[in-house]
Amino acid sequence: MDILYLDFKKAFDTVPHRRLILKLEALGIQGPALNWFENYLQGRVQQVRIGESVSSEKIVLSGVPQGSILGPLLFSIYVADLPRVISHLSKIRLFADDTKIFREISGKEDELELQKDLDNVLKWCKTWLLHLNVQKCKFIRFGGNSQKPNYTIWDESKQLSLEGVSQEKDLGVIFDENLTFRSHVDLKIKTAARNLALIRNSFKYADRSTFLLLYKSLVRPHLEYCSPVWNSSVKLISNKIENIQKRATKLVQDLKYTTYEDRLLDLDLPSLEFRRYREDIITSFKICKFNPALKNNVFLFARREGLRGHEFSFAKERCSARPFKNFLPNRIFSTWNDFPQTFPQIPNLNGLKTFIDDYFGRTRYSCHLTLSRKDLECLGDGATKSEVWCSTRVVTHLRA
């Protein structure tokens, strides 16, 4: 799959007012509401001051006011018809002034079609007086084909080739061509470690409440942002992330020399591995429960005629590529399908979070969410769910 990342040059400053008013009118905004938007956009002036010298005032004919709530909304309305110029086999995603076009590549014909889509976007930009920042437009190829295509873009009168990259940041997540997300995880670990060092140097002694406030505000969010996208089953990556929290919990002086699990229990901090697993379940539930148009594109559901389980039960998908083995439904398959039949009837996300915490119990404070066959044999056939999902220390004791 090839993805073209496009960037608009000075996007919020170059939206023509008259053309924006025409698009608002085409959407059905008329009368006093349309007049309000015209008065909001037009009649603005700007000038430049250097020292004591001030330029004459110039009327502002383009741009949406930045720093306002309506600014991003008006820009989104202005580019809302851009997807219409893309062919039906290609897809486009817009988020404010970030745009990406992608298509599954089966041969040279698909590359040519994607190039046509790019040409159509350029024609649309010329019609609606927006410009692409060619220096920031890039493409990345996901998949095993190492031969890079050549996509071209016109910059004024020159035809330039788009830069092919091996990784690109997309809405805060670094995607690499092999979908390992190692670069993203390494960057977030460095950011979290830097903030943790700042806390350690600023607070020589931190009680429990102060530590939790600082840690949950400045460190943990960096390690959890968008985890359903980049979460991996690779133990090395998981351990590197967990080590940040292990170091952080030692900042509480009277807990410094206790075990990691004891520190988590005392502070009521779930392990980061559990937090990511919990977020996987929450994200899957939100898609299945509240987004029926999307769920069949993301998940493969089991046929339930005469079978036990709930209506959201997943079907096991065969896959050989490692990134797909780590895909969201494959990570939570066993646990998700073991949930009771009443699981889909949970009314809201608060109820879901309470259900997950009760279901896993003390396992929330363990770094290891899965047990080997040998561990299960130690527990015996009559083990309950809470006993099976036990902490590493219990398993180690049983082995001894």
Side-chain angles (χ1 to χ4, degrees):
M1 178 171 288
D2 287 351
I3 298 185
L4 309 181
Y5 289 95
L6 307 180
D7 183 79
F8 288 104
K9 184 186 296 184
K10 298 181 180 179
F12 288 78
D13 296 327
T14 55
V15 175
H17 291 164
R18 290 307 310 164
R19 284 173 168 77
L20 176 57
I21 295 299
L22 288 175
K23 289 197 173 187
L24 291 172
E25 190 174 6
L27 287 175
I29 300 176
Q30 299 177 352
L34 186 64
N35 294 334
W36 187 92
F37 276 108
E38 285 190 79
N39 293 333
Y40 178 71
L41 292 170
Q42 298 178 352
R44 298 176 181 268
V45 296
Q46 64 182 14
Q47 60 182 176
V48 178
R49 178 172 182 171
I50 302 177
E52 299 298 328
S53 302
V54 180
S55 69
S56 58
E57 293 183 345
K58 297 292 183 181
I59 298 176
V60 179
L61 301 176
S62 63
V64 293
Q66 297 191 34
S68 63
I69 297 175
L70 282 178
L73 175 62
L74 291 174
F75 181 82
S76 298
I77 291 174
Y78 193 73
V79 299
D81 61 331
L82 180 58
R84 298 179 184 175
V85 305
I86 304 299
S87 60
H88 68 284
L89 292 180
S90 299
K91 296 182 180 180
I92 186 171
R93 294 291 182 268
L94 308 174
F95 186 85
D97 58 339
D98 292 326
T99 304
K100 55 179 174 285
I101 309 170
F102 53 98
R103 184 186 181 98
E104 184 178 348
I105 304 298
S106 302
K108 192 67 177 178
E109 296 78 10
D110 292 309
E111 294 178 7
L112 295 176
E113 289 297 322
L114 193 55
Q115 178 64 56
K116 288 182 181 178
D117 293 330
L118 180 57
D119 295 337
N120 290 336
V121 170
L122 291 173
K123 292 178 182 178
W124 181 93
C125 291
K126 186 176 181 180
T127 301
W128 295 102
L129 301 183
L130 289 180
H131 305 280
L132 294 179
N133 189 343
V134 179
Q135 303 302 322
K136 293 185 178 180
C137 294
K138 303 173 183 178
F139 80 90
I140 183 172
R141 166 161 289 187
F142 298 108
N145 189 349
S146 59
Q147 185 177 0
K148 299 290 186 181
N150 182 32
Y151 296 109
T152 58
I153 188 170
W154 285 92
D155 182 20
E156 297 178 352
S157 60
K158 298 181 295 183
Q159 189 178 27
L160 304 175
S161 295
L162 278 187
E163 179 186 359
V165 296
S166 59
Q167 61 184 34
E168 180 69 14
K169 179 178 285 190
D170 188 355
L171 299 181
V173 179
I174 300 176
F175 287 79
D176 59 88
E177 56 189 356
N178 295 319
L179 294 178
T180 63
F181 297 102
R182 291 182 184 272
S183 298
H184 175 79
V185 173
D186 289 342
L187 177 63
K188 293 306 175 182
I189 288 176
K190 289 180 181 178
T191 304
R194 184 172 61 247
N195 290 354
L196 182 60
L198 179 65
I199 295 174
R200 184 177 62 249
N201 296 333
S202 302
F203 295 84
K204 297 301 180 182
Y205 177 82
D207 57 21
R208 285 167 171 77
S209 59
T210 303
F211 164 75
L212 289 173
L213 177 62
L214 294 170
Y215 174 71
K216 291 181 179 180
S217 302
L218 302 177
V219 179
R220 195 170 69 177
H222 292 286
L223 300 172
E224 295 184 339
Y225 169 71
C226 220
S227 64
V229 173
W230 57 262
N231 190 10
S232 171
S233 61
V234 179
K235 201 61 185 175
L236 178 63
I237 295 178
S238 180
N239 289 340
K240 289 171 65 176
I241 298 172
E242 200 71 39
N243 282 337
I244 297 293
Q245 184 161 278
K246 286 183 180 180
R247 290 159 50 192
T249 52
K250 289 184 178 181
L251 295 181
V252 182
Q253 292 297 321
D254 55 342
L255 299 177
K256 187 173 183 179
Y257 298 105
T258 60
T259 63
Y260 179 48
E261 283 81 5
D262 286 338
R263 295 198 298 271
L264 294 183
L265 280 167
D266 191 278
L267 295 169
D268 194 23
L269 272 180
S271 68
L272 293 179
E273 183 177 356
F274 172 79
R275 293 269 303 178
R276 295 194 301 275
Y277 200 77
R278 177 176 180 263
E279 190 60 33
D280 286 345
I281 296 173
I282 292 173
T283 300
S284 301
F285 183 84
K286 287 195 292 187
I287 294 174
C288 294
K289 181 84 172 181
F290 306 116
N291 200 334
L294 178 62
K295 70 177 185 179
N296 291 323
N297 293 328
V298 178
F299 304 121
L300 180 64
F301 293 95
R303 297 180 179 179
R304 298 184 58 254
E305 294 84 356
L307 298 177
R308 291 177 295 178
H310 53 81
E311 61 181 284
F312 292 159
S313 295
F314 294 154
K316 189 67 175 179
E317 296 187 64
R318 294 182 178 181
C319 53
S320 57
R322 181 161 187 168
F324 193 71
K325 289 180 181 179
N326 297 333
F327 188 49
L328 176 59
N330 297 328
R331 292 198 300 265
I332 63 173
F333 174 79
S334 299
T335 304
W336 178 272
N337 285 1
D338 283 343
F339 286 149
Q341 291 186 348
T342 56
F343 172 66
Q345 278 71 53
I346 297 175
N348 51 49
L349 294 182
N350 288 331
L352 174 66
K353 293 175 182 178
T354 302
F355 166 81
I356 295 174
D357 291 341
D358 292 342
Y359 186 86
F360 287 98
R362 286 171 64 97
T363 310
R364 303 196 307 273
Y365 308 106
S366 172
C367 301
H368 304 273
L369 296 179
T370 58
L371 301 178
S372 66
R373 184 182 299 274
K374 185 176 181 180
D375 298 332
L376 296 177
E377 290 174 355
C378 292
L379 291 169
D381 295 333
T384 64
K385 176 68 69 175
S386 60
E387 290 172 334
V388 170
W389 290 88
C390 63
S391 69
T392 309
R393 290 184 297 135
V394 174
V395 174
T396 304
H397 176 71
L398 287 170
R399 284 177 175 172

